[in-house]
Amino acid sequence: MIKFFRYIRKDLMEQSKTSKYFKYAIGEIVLVVIGILIALSINNWNQSRKENILAKNYYNRLLSDLKADKAYANRYISRVDSSLVLYDNYRKSYHKPNLSLAEIIQNLGTNDVNTFHIEYKTKTIETLINTGDLQILTPKIIDVITEYNGSKNQIEILARDNNEDVNDLLKNLALKGGVLLNIKNYPNQPELFKKLDFDDRIPDMIIAFESYVIWKQAVNRTSIKELTKINKTADSIIEIIKLELKK
């Protein structure tokens, strides 16, 4: 084909048909430009096709992650709810008049003293951000998942900081005599029981425990509120992604 064009150019030049040669040259340039445009169009189509396939893959991964996030949050909320129930029962124990110190201490020990960090395990959003693939998603989805990821990070940090404060109060409780929560270990050791100054330690220990458990339950309620809000956001994002996958 190239030889054919060269032959035509040579023939036109030899015949001094300048105007025809220029017309031919322009036509050849147009053909080349059209060829380039077609090649670019095909390349762009292939690139767009690849991005669409990758985007759908990410959408499905996001759906899986969002469902996993909700399941994790619900388990955490259930665990915290159980702790709140134990605390409410402890508070109700004071409705009984004239509790002995031994009964009060035993009631204190019915509370859940464990603290749990909030740690989401899903990583698709972080992968999208770190790889730069976030840009292949629609702007609306980029906005909602970025905001959602920020909310997850904030609740993780908040829970960790609050738990550190709670654990400091728990350490203070231990220093005040938290060991006496195991009062049932001492009835057969009257001399040790006396040396521990049980009666003198009780007021400070109760105050320390109340400070700990009240703050802990305030933290738990905050966590439930924030996790419930995040779960609602996850639900809305799931619906947006499902609509996108149907296009």
Side-chain angles (χ1 to χ4, degrees), residues 55-56 58-60 62-63 66-67 137-148 232-247:
K56 286 184 178 180
Y58 274 122
Y59 287 144
N60 284 311
L62 284 169
L63 286 176
L66 289 165
K67 291 174 183 177
L137 308 184
T138 64
K140 183 176 183 180
I141 292 179
I142 291 175
D143 290 342
V144 293
I145 66 172
T146 300
E147 183 178 352
Y148 172 77
K232 289 182 179 178
T233 302
D235 283 332
S236 65
I237 296 174
I238 287 172
E239 293 306 312
I240 293 172
I241 292 175
K242 285 182 177 179
L243 288 174
E244 186 64 28
L245 286 171
K246 289 179 180 179
K247 293 181 180 179

Side-chain angles (χ1 to χ4, degrees), residues 71-233:
Y72 169 76
N74 287 333
R75 288 194 300 272
Y76 189 96
I77 290 172
S78 178
R79 180 69 180 81
V80 170
D81 274 338
S82 297
S83 179
L84 289 170
V85 169
L86 290 174
Y87 175 67
D88 287 340
N89 290 336
Y90 157 69
R91 297 300 302 167
K92 290 175 182 177
S93 71
Y94 282 102
H95 294 169
K96 180 181 178 180
N98 302 317
L99 290 171
S100 68
L101 290 179
E103 287 177 315
I104 292 174
I105 294 300
Q106 287 177 337
N107 291 338
L108 288 174
T110 63
N111 282 278
D112 181 5
V113 298
N114 295 312
T115 55
F116 300 93
H117 291 321
I118 296 175
E119 295 179 301
Y120 286 97
K121 303 299 181 182
T122 52
K123 300 295 181 183
T124 299
I125 297 177
E126 297 294 339
T127 299
L128 281 163
I129 294 172
N130 294 334
T131 60
D133 288 339
L134 187 65
Q135 301 308 314
I136 69 174
L137 308 184
T138 64
K140 183 176 183 180
I141 292 179
I142 291 175
D143 290 342
V144 293
I145 66 172
T146 300
E147 183 178 352
Y148 172 77
N149 195 55
S151 296
K152 282 171 53 179
N153 290 336
Q154 287 179 359
I155 187 62
E156 287 179 340
I157 293 171
L158 178 64
R160 182 170 63 249
D161 291 346
N162 283 338
N163 283 339
E164 288 177 0
D165 292 339
V166 168
N167 287 332
D168 285 341
L169 291 173
L170 186 60
K171 291 175 186 176
N172 184 51
L173 168 62
L175 292 174
K176 295 292 185 182
V179 66
L180 294 178
L181 291 175
N182 291 321
I183 191 173
K184 61 185 179 181
N185 295 338
Y186 301 110
N188 295 325
Q189 307 298 329
E191 185 174 352
L192 175 60
F193 191 79
K194 182 178 179 180
K195 293 290 184 181
L196 288 174
D197 296 327
F198 179 74
D199 291 342
D200 293 337
R201 289 173 179 263
I202 287 295
D204 284 345
M205 191 182 74
I206 291 177
I207 292 172
F209 183 85
E210 287 287 347
S211 297
Y212 156 73
V213 78
I214 289 172
W215 180 244
K216 179 174 182 288
Q217 300 314 323
V219 168
N220 285 342
R221 290 187 175 92
T222 298
S223 295
I224 289 175
K225 180 181 177 181
E226 293 303 315
L227 288 172
T228 300
K229 187 188 301 182
I230 289 174
N231 272 1
K232 289 182 179 178
T233 302

